[in-house]
Amino acid sequence: MEKYKDTGLKLTPQRLAILNYLDGNKEHPSAEDIYRAVLKRFPTMSFATVYNTLETLRQRGGLLELTIDPDKKRFDPNTEHHHHLICVKCKRIVDIHGDYKLPIPNGERAGFEIIGNHIEFYGICPKCKKANSL
Amino acid sequence: MEKYKDTGLKLTPQRLAILNYLDGNKEHPSAEDIYRAVLKRFPTMSFATVYNTLETLRQRGGLLELTIDPDKKRFDPNTEHHHHLICVKCKRIVDIHGDYKLPIPNGERAGFEIIGNHIEFYGICPKCKKANSL
DNA sequence: ACACTTGACAAGAACAATTCTAATCTGATA
DNA sequence: TATCAGATTAGAATTGTTCTTGTCAAGTGT
């Protein structure tokens, strides 16, 4: 929660509820996950508020938007550089903190200015592996 | 095109048109790109046919579905293991063929069975860099 | 305390990408 | 060439996300 102080962000009760839900959350929730969680405390909460808050946070660098799940966007409050492993069955996502050297081969850069990278690992989680083998 | 032979795939004219458009295509087209391209030759083509064909191809391992573009799925007929660099402005995607070692640190595997990986590089393409600096 | 400005909120409409449905139609095989 | 599993079509439906509009709340200067 500390990290959201002093960013000029207006801390409304709704935003605090969202921030509180996100703080330390390692589930990589979708917008709907967040909406449903916050709805318990704010029954009048609107989807627009969730999306607006997430977008505001993202712009201020307090949140990452993950594209690894083909079905929907997932959000990660941990903005330190790291990677992800997703279960291709149930879409559970876990963090991977390996320190990788990822040089781009000469001639493949195509004149791009590189600003970042992210590794997607694909796998099957223990639960789905077990369910699969029944 | 060769690669699609002998897979038990029923080769209808529509599918051939899609395969022909995809063959060797390095643009990483979206479903709509494909639909629009094929529509020229098959004016009665339906979106469903495009999606059905893409899904069939994917299941048979003849096509990759990319999630790197946050707005829509992109498709890659090159199924050899490789990575991608996307322009965060215009969403142009280019191939990266570096050979990377990507071991998962002990204790972070979370019991997952690993089946693959893919690196997303983010950048700004020459065209957008130029447009930006005006 | 009052008017003003700015930004946030709620509700639902709108939108875009994708998937599904139901009714034909067709390619591959016997 | 008859058969039939699988493919095609048009359009409806669904899902995730964004936009619009009117209202509201907090902070500022008077």
Side-chain angles (χ1 to χ4, degrees), chain A:
Chain A
M1 301 295 291
E2 291 307 314
K3 61 199 279 198
Y4 304 119
K5 299 267 178 67
D6 305 323
T7 61
L9 189 64
K10 196 185 278 187
L11 290 180
T12 65
Q14 292 90 338
R15 285 182 171 178
L16 282 170
I18 292 173
L19 289 172
N20 187 59
Y21 175 74
L22 286 176
D23 188 45
N25 189 313
K26 300 252 186 275
E27 302 290 313
H28 310 88
S30 66
E32 196 186 352
D33 293 334
I34 297 166
Y35 173 68
R36 281 216 295 260
V38 177
L39 205 58
K40 291 172 192 160
R41 253 190 295 162
F42 288 85
T44 77
M45 164 76 58
S46 154
F47 245 108
T49 299
V50 173
Y51 278 108
N52 286 341
T53 300
L54 293 174
E55 174 60 12
T56 302
L57 278 175
R58 196 190 58 76
Q59 281 172 10
R60 290 164 193 252
L63 185 72
L64 292 179
E65 211 177 82
L66 308 182
T67 63
I68 191 174
D69 181 339
D71 295 332
K72 58 187 82 160
K73 286 179 186 164
R74 305 280 289 262
F75 298 90
D76 193 339
N78 174 10
T79 56
E80 315 232 327
H81 187 251
H82 64 290
H83 308 286
H84 294 97
L85 163 58
I86 187 171
C87 172
V88 297
K89 298 276 184 198
C90 69
K91 310 297 161 70
R92 179 156 83 93
I93 298 173
V94 301
D95 291 331
I96 300 292
H97 293 92
D99 183 25
Y100 305 100
K101 294 270 174 291
L102 305 172
I104 294 186
N106 264 340
E108 294 220 295
R109 196 178 306 254
F112 279 54
E113 176 187 336
I114 309 297
I115 59 184
N117 64 63
H118 174 247
I119 308 176
E120 302 181 338
F121 292 95
Y122 311 109
I124 301 181
C125 74
K127 210 169 282 185
C128 290
K129 210 190 307 183
K130 196 170 175 187
N132 236 27
S133 64
L134 296 183

